Amino acid sequence: TMFLVVALSSFFVWHTLFLLSKKTESMSNRTRLLQQKLTHTLMLQISVPLSVQIGPMAVVSLSAITGWLTTGHINGILCIQMLHCTLHTTLLIATTPTYRHALFPCCRTRPESRKVTMSTSQTVM
């Protein structure tokens, strides 16, 4: 079942990136680039739970079947798995500009100043 989930997820990510790489009239270049960036960010955010949770569990499961790791090794692998929360939170902060700017205001990039023009001939009631 896990193989099917990973295979389907990989297919949909590939298909999304494939569709975003094509130039279509229904989507502007800027929108397409933003969607590509979002897809890459989501893939990065998904890679932490997959690698830190499923990887160690697969090694522990194989070790239980084959018996090639000692309990000390298994405990070390499970300690890596316990880092999931810290690693995932750090990755979310690093990849989400709103969180990053709130926590690290010194690293904020200055947006370009834009002129805002308003018509003075309209009255507001």
Side-chain angles (χ1 to χ4, degrees), residues 34-90:
L34 286 172
Q35 288 297 321
Q36 284 176 344
K37 184 178 179 181
L38 174 67
T39 304
H40 288 122
T41 302
L42 289 175
M43 287 185 336
L44 183 64
Q45 290 175 359
I46 280 183
S47 69
V48 170
L50 285 177
S51 61
V52 178
Q53 290 287 84
I54 294 174
M57 287 309 290
V59 171
V60 169
S61 299
L62 287 174
S63 175
I65 293 170
T66 61
W68 56 277
L69 289 178
T70 65
T71 54
H73 291 112
I74 292 173
N75 287 339
I77 290 171
L78 292 177
C79 286
I80 292 171
Q81 187 180 22
M82 289 177 9
L83 291 173
H84 165 259
C85 183
T86 304
L87 292 173
H88 197 228
T89 302
T90 304

Side-chain angles (χ1 to χ4, degrees), residues 4-59:
L4 181 64
V5 169
V6 171
L8 286 173
S9 299
S10 299
F11 169 75
F12 287 124
V13 167
W14 172 82
H15 186 66
T16 300
L17 290 173
F18 175 73
L19 290 176
L20 289 173
S21 68
K22 290 181 174 182
K23 291 190 177 194
T24 61
E25 293 179 11
S26 63
M27 188 182 304
S28 71
N29 285 335
R30 184 173 178 188
T31 303
R32 185 173 47 257
L33 290 174
L34 286 172
Q35 288 297 321
Q36 284 176 344
K37 184 178 179 181
L38 174 67
T39 304
H40 288 122
T41 302
L42 289 175
M43 287 185 336
L44 183 64
Q45 290 175 359
I46 280 183
S47 69
V48 170
L50 285 177
S51 61
V52 178
Q53 290 287 84
I54 294 174
M57 287 309 290
V59 171

